[in-house]
Amino acid sequence: MFDDELDRDGGVAVESTASLHVERLLAGSPAVPRRADLAYDAPEGFLSPWAQGSVASGSRRWCQAEFEPLASDFRLTSPAALRLENLPSGSVLVSQLERLAAGEVDDQTLVEAIAAHERQMAWSAAAQARLVAELVARRPSNSRGPTPLHMATFELQARLATTRYGAEAKVGLALELSFPTVADALAAGQIDVSKAKVLLHTTPGLPDAELRRIHETLLPDASSLTGSQLRDKLPTPRCRSTPTPWPSAT
């Protein structure tokens, strides 16, 4: 297989995508067939960069570049779990999760699949919020009738068969996600909706510039904190006319 895919200089002659490797791993197969001339000291599914015996230098470079172990925040050793951890939210992640056979994967992959679904739900919430904001923007503003917010809320309440409170929560989130850093973190699955609300419902009365500095400071660690821990890191309101400056992100 490798001889057909590589020329003498190590160039790839046949397209090989990360998605294909993930599909093979989730199906319980190694990313590529094993080779007799390579050592397999790394976790299953990775090719060692050190060749055993006579191997063209180009092939060695190609194997090392394609199968360098992925970084893990949780010290994962399962190749399939590693790839799920590193896949961003979106259509590619959905396609991989649809192919996953829950009863046939190892424990690490199973847990990462659950976490991946959580990221995907955050991505969906961010996408839905953008659509809700567009719905509000399309409703006419009439001083004698319902406001655009009320009209959008009524429509969502009827269509989703939810309570008025539930519809108002969706409209409120859509409007509050006007802070790009929080909206991007939610779309990336770095935070969930509850953490997004913690960041958006920060100390009342702070100017937008101050809120953005708070978001930039807290977001890098938000994925490893609970909602309560994240809330505890928010600045404490003080009874003074000028708010205490929030330290800039380092």
Side-chain angles (χ1 to χ4, degrees), residues 17-168:
T17 65
S19 177
L20 176 60
H21 300 325
V22 175
E23 289 179 19
R24 290 177 56 85
L25 288 166
L26 292 180
S29 303
V32 295
R34 289 175 173 263
R35 293 179 61 183
D37 55 357
L38 288 178
Y40 287 86
D41 297 327
E44 184 180 2
F46 293 121
L47 294 183
S48 170
W50 296 282
Q52 304 296 318
S54 176
V55 167
S57 60
S59 296
R60 182 161 58 251
R61 287 198 305 271
W62 186 85
C63 293
Q64 187 173 8
E66 286 292 319
F67 295 96
E68 191 72 24
L70 297 169
S72 174
D73 292 333
F74 305 98
R75 299 182 180 179
L76 299 177
T77 56
S78 166
L82 279 164
R83 280 160 175 76
L84 281 177
E85 180 189 357
N86 283 272
L87 275 177
S89 304
S91 58
V92 174
L93 181 58
V94 169
S95 67
Q96 301 306 323
L97 291 173
E98 287 178 345
R99 292 174 171 82
L100 184 141
E104 300 176 4
V105 298
D106 57 74
D107 287 357
Q108 288 188 358
T109 303
L110 192 60
V111 172
E112 281 309 307
I114 296 171
H117 276 289
E118 195 75 11
R119 294 200 309 275
Q120 197 61 31
M121 286 190 288
W123 178 87
S124 295
Q128 185 188 61
R130 290 194 298 270
L131 299 176
V132 173
E134 176 64 22
L135 178 65
V136 174
R138 291 187 182 190
R139 294 299 164 261
S141 179
N142 189 338
S143 59
R144 296 185 178 181
T147 66
L149 295 181
H150 286 130
M151 284 188 282
T153 298
F154 295 152
E155 289 181 76
L156 293 178
Q157 180 182 358
R159 178 62 184 86
L160 303 180
T162 186
T163 63
R164 180 174 179 178
Y165 174 81
E168 287 175 343

Side-chain angles (χ1 to χ4, degrees), residues 192-215:
D192 57 20
V193 172
S194 62
K195 292 181 184 179
K197 290 180 177 179
V198 169
L199 291 169
L200 295 169
H201 301 166
T202 51
T203 306
L206 289 180
D208 287 354
E210 198 75 13
L211 291 174
R212 283 192 289 270
R213 281 193 290 272
I214 293 175
H215 298 159

